[in-house]
Amino acid sequence: MELFRHGPAGSERPAVRHEGRDYDLTPLTADIDGPFLADDGIERIAEALAADTLPEIDTAGRRIGSPIARPPAVVCIGMNYAAHAAESGAAPPPYPIVFLKHPGCVVGPDDDVILPPNSAKTDWEVELAVVMKGTPRYLDDPSQALDYVAGYALSNDLSERAFQLEESGGQWSKGKCAETFNPLGPVLKPAAEVDPTKLRLRSWVNGEPRQDSSTADMVFSVAEIIHHLSHYMLLMPGDVISTGTPEGVALSGRFPYLKVGDVVTMEIDGLGRQEQVIVAY
């Protein structure tokens, strides 16, 4: 089962793909958002599919939006792959590095990415995104954490490295929050259907390989991240957690940064593929 949203930006409609067929979700919900996920939304979809009460639709040729309507928050974890920390010249962190992206960054998986004016160091980052369905509060143990997860999606955590590291005074979010800097999707896969500990992540720029790794290289697992965050912030249904990127980004010095006309492609096993063209503001 794959949840997705289709249609023009700002007017997307909720849908689900099951056994190769697409079904309209508007009989159940106006959108795929936090309140729907918190209200046993995924379980209700499964029941409706089993009962064959959802109308089948044709989404061929339709724009695909973010699989979740504008999230309340986008929480990101930095340096969460051992090899990526090494290529950045740092040791793996002793605890999760946390920063925020503005929810307005979130766009569809194949929407254009706008290069900020005066940007010289815009970078790509393939990441596993976690979408919450509940609010974990001061969890005692990571084993409790995954009960609060609705599902998983593919995310591109774009970063302007000069804004992030050279002009920020330590404020990473300054390099993370530009318009269109978080393509998300194409689908939200229910948590029960995904093992987040061993997913292959890959990215390409203009068809040339950049990243190829596995979530097995994470410093902190999804469960450990949620457990940690539950002690420092109020996570809400519909929030997105981006869990970090593996090695192979431009920050390493091995590859050039993005420029207008470049095409970024990325995928995660079981969560689909996305592709963006870099365009001028």
Side-chain angles (χ1 to χ4, degrees), residues 124-197:
W124 59 88
E125 296 187 52
V126 61
E127 304 202 8
L128 174 66
V130 181
V131 179
M132 304 300 292
K133 67 176 180 180
T135 297
R137 292 179 170 88
Y138 306 105
L139 298 182
D140 294 324
D141 190 85
S143 64
Q144 303 169 303
L146 298 186
D147 292 341
Y148 297 88
V149 176
Y152 299 93
L154 166 60
S155 177
N156 185 358
D157 172 25
L158 286 137
S159 309
E160 212 303 336
R161 301 299 191 185
F163 300 172
Q164 175 191 354
L165 302 172
E166 300 167 21
E167 305 172 22
S168 67
Q171 302 172 78
W172 278 22
S173 292
K174 287 178 69 174
K176 299 282 188 172
C177 291
E179 184 179 4
T180 72
F181 260 34
N182 198 169
L184 188 66
V187 300
L188 174 66
K189 197 81 172 274
E193 301 181 25
V194 178
D195 179 354
T197 67

Side-chain angles (χ1 to χ4, degrees), residues 88-108:
S88 302
Y95 45 80
I97 296 172
V98 181
F99 62 93
L100 301 175
K101 290 181 86 96
H102 193 287
C105 299
V106 175
V107 294

Side-chain angles (χ1 to χ4, degrees), residues 115 120-124 158 205 250 256-260 262 264 278:
L115 198 68
K121 295 184 178 181
T122 291
D123 208 345
W124 59 88
L158 286 137
V205 176
Y257 287 101
L258 296 171
K259 63 183 185 304
V260 171
D262 283 346
V264 179
I278 308 301

Side-chain angles (χ1 to χ4, degrees), residues 190-249:
E193 301 181 25
V194 178
D195 179 354
T197 67
K198 49 184 179 182
L199 296 172
R200 187 182 183 188
L201 313 86
R202 291 185 288 177
S203 69
W204 299 260
V205 176
N206 300 325
E208 298 179 358
R210 291 293 185 261
Q211 296 169 280
D212 189 349
S213 187
S214 167
T215 54
D217 190 45
M218 279 185 175
V219 178
F220 303 101
S221 69
V222 171
E224 289 168 332
I225 290 167
I226 294 171
H227 169 256
H228 180 82
L229 293 176
S230 77
H231 289 263
Y232 295 94
M233 65 179 64
L234 188 68
L235 293 170
M236 302 291 289
D239 281 354
V240 172
I241 302 172
S242 286
T243 56
T245 198
E247 65 175 325
V249 296

Side-chain angles (χ1 to χ4, degrees), residues 7-12 63 65 111:
S11 301
E12 294 92 344
R63 171 189 173 270
D111 289 348

